[in-house]
Amino acid sequence: MTRTLASTPAADGFRMPGEFEPHAGCWMLWPERPDNWREAARPAQLAFAQVATAIARFEPVTVGASSAHYAAARALLPEQVRVLEMAHDDAWMRDVGPTCVVNDRGVVRGVDWHFNAWGGLNGGLYFPWDQDDLVARKVLETECLERYRAPMVNEGGAIHVDGEGTALVTEECLLNPNRNPRFERADIERHLREYLGVTQILWLGKGVVDDETGGHIDDLACFVRPGVVCLTWTDRRRDPQYARSLDALERLQDARDARGRRVRVVRLPMPGPLRMRAHEAAGIIPREGSRPRLAGERLAATYVNFYIANGGIVMPLLDARTDAAAAARLKRLFPGRRVVGVPSREILLGGGNIHCITQQIPAGTRSRSPSAR
Ligand code: KQY
């Protein structure tokens, strides 16, 4: 049985590692909701399968599928991808999966945040979300990793860390009262310190325009390595994204990380703007209580939502006019990794991208604590 611990990661000497540190593997979920994914989720399933296949070139991948979709997922995914039956409400493993932490003896544990579908009954994207809220625990039990249940609503896509004590977050998301209405900024900071093992929190302002998560950092910016941040960027001054990215740039230029370093910011030009097409919206079956998807809506398209695998970068391909330039920039940023692009518009139509549908388990040297078996 996997123990749930009453202490906190920081008190126990644990920290969240950067995504660029070694992984034991990656977890994903299988999309199926017809109110979020067009054409009964078939095009999205093909895109998820391509992402899983690309990541499996670099590290082991596990995909959780509902009992109704297990056979289809197994048939579409290559043999080297492990498929397990796992109930869920939608397919955003970044947000519903565990945030893993490690100590300096190589033990890995997991933080299980409370999940409320990005805002609960006050702007959340669907109801109910009870199966999503169980996913992190199931992943930790499957991996035999001990669990911390954090007393806070949070999502993996709302946090990035450099693994050396610095967290990167947005005010738009973490201070939104639809997550933790009773918490002030200081309470949020205290919980991030305790559950991520960080000492310095870099607050950016707003995330990407029309990001339905309410400003997730994983669409706006991420650490490439300690001291280097990659920021989604547009030179189009009339685009409402311009002021958001400029504000983020200025805050980062003024910042010091946990080690007292200035942060180098690398701009990653964004695709588009991209919008939902009429035939795409027509393939979605609306459902009461779920966010409607309408033709013409701007999509939260950004190349920053890539996944860092062992020796690889799996990046979204979104716009033939800008994909090659983005890939070239990522190659320069990650010289030791192979950059693999996956067409991901079908994932974007569901409101996120490759980073949002994946969650890494850090390698550790002793990932299974004896008491967790
Ligand atoms: O940004 C993410 N980490 C998740 C996107 C969720 C979109 C829900 N429809």
Side-chain angles (χ1 to χ4, degrees):
M1 203 188 106
T2 301
R3 276 199 306 164
T4 296
L5 305 159
S7 51
T8 66
D12 295 343
F14 282 72
R15 64 171 180 100
M16 180 183 173
E19 192 172 317
F20 40 78
E21 294 183 48
H23 300 174
C26 175
W27 278 75
M28 299 173 61
L29 290 164
W30 192 247
E32 63 173 81
R33 296 180 71 106
D35 59 343
N36 196 51
W37 305 103
R38 71 189 185 106
E39 314 296 352
R42 188 68 175 177
Q45 289 165 357
L46 296 172
F48 274 57
Q50 276 188 276
V51 171
T53 305
I55 297 174
R57 288 169 58 177
F58 303 106
E59 61 194 43
V61 177
T62 304
V63 175
S66 71
S67 54
H69 283 256
Y70 173 84
R74 185 60 284 170
L76 274 181
L77 288 161
E79 246 178 26
Q80 68 272 27
V81 171
R82 174 171 69 162
V83 184
L84 300 177
E85 200 175 300
M86 186 175 284
H88 49 83
D89 296 298
D90 202 359
W92 306 99
M93 186 55 101
R94 176 66 48 188
D95 293 343
V96 302
T99 296
C100 285
V101 291
V102 298
N103 72 2
D104 55 15
R105 292 187 302 121
V107 178
V108 180
R109 292 177 175 168
V111 176
D112 177 359
W113 310 99
H114 286 263
F115 178 76
N116 75 351
W118 308 275
L121 299 180
N122 175 17
L125 300 180
Y126 48 77
F127 173 87
W129 53 80
D130 56 309
Q131 292 305 312
D132 278 346
D133 200 25
L134 293 173
V135 167
R137 183 172 204 160
K138 293 177 184 175
V139 170
L140 292 172
E141 294 212 3
T142 308
E143 295 281 351
C144 299
L145 299 176
E146 290 177 317
R147 163 182 183 257
Y148 297 97
R149 178 65 160 161
M152 171 183 168
V153 171
N154 196 16
E155 299 108 32
I159 47 175
H160 268 306
V161 296
D162 68 355
E164 295 189 351
T166 316
L168 193 57
V169 299
T170 67
E171 292 171 344
E172 181 185 359
C173 181
L174 283 182
L175 301 185
N176 191 326
N178 70 8
R179 302 306 209 285
N180 296 286
R182 291 195 196 85
F183 288 178
E184 306 286 342
R185 182 190 294 255
D187 302 309
I188 303 276
E189 290 200 343
R190 178 166 49 83
H191 284 100
L192 295 179
R193 287 196 175 92
E194 289 174 348
Y195 285 87
L196 302 178
V198 295
T199 53
Q200 175 78 323
I201 295 153
L202 304 184
W203 287 94
L204 304 186
K206 291 187 173 161
V208 164
V209 169
D210 290 338
D211 177 349
E212 64 196 47
T213 65
H216 265 190
I217 191 70
D218 73 346
D219 269 341
L220 180 68
C222 68
F223 283 105
V224 171
R225 55 185 158 271
V228 183
V229 167
C230 171
L231 172 67
T232 199
W233 187 258
T234 177
D235 286 322
R236 296 181 299 268
R237 288 174 181 254
R238 287 210 210 128
D239 186 326
Q241 186 58 43
Y242 182 81
R244 292 171 176 236
S245 291
L246 182 61
D247 175 63
L249 178 67
E250 290 171 350
R251 291 184 192 220
L252 287 164
Q253 284 171 338
D254 285 345
R256 292 279 193 287
D257 68 14
R259 302 260 175 117
R261 287 176 292 229
R262 282 189 181 280
V263 178
R264 180 162 82 89
V265 185
V266 179
R267 299 172 217 194
L268 191 55
M270 52 196 315
L274 304 181
R275 298 187 182 277
M276 173 83 75
R277 297 177 187 129
H279 77 275
E280 292 168 336
I284 293 161
I285 300 174
R287 178 174 147 179
E288 208 183 319
S290 297
R291 179 193 189 281
R293 298 206 173 275
L294 308 171
E297 274 181 348
R298 182 166 173 169
L299 303 165
T302 146
Y303 293 112
V304 167
N305 207 277
F306 55 82
Y307 180 73
I308 308 179
N310 292 337
I313 299 292
V314 181
M315 68 167 287
L317 297 179
L318 293 163
D319 185 340
R321 297 165 298 182
T322 47
D323 287 346
R329 189 149 303 189
L330 288 175
K331 275 179 199 153
R332 278 202 303 278
L333 275 178
F334 293 96
R337 297 177 201 258
R338 178 177 291 268
V339 174
V340 178
V342 175
S344 67
R345 184 177 173 91
E346 294 298 336
I347 307 172
L348 179 63
L349 294 176
N353 223 302
I354 292 174
H355 193 258
C356 307
I357 63 169
T358 51
Q359 181 61 262
Q360 70 279 359
I361 305 292
T365 50
R366 279 177 49 216
S367 30
R368 282 152 186 79
S369 148
S371 58
R373 282 197 205 112

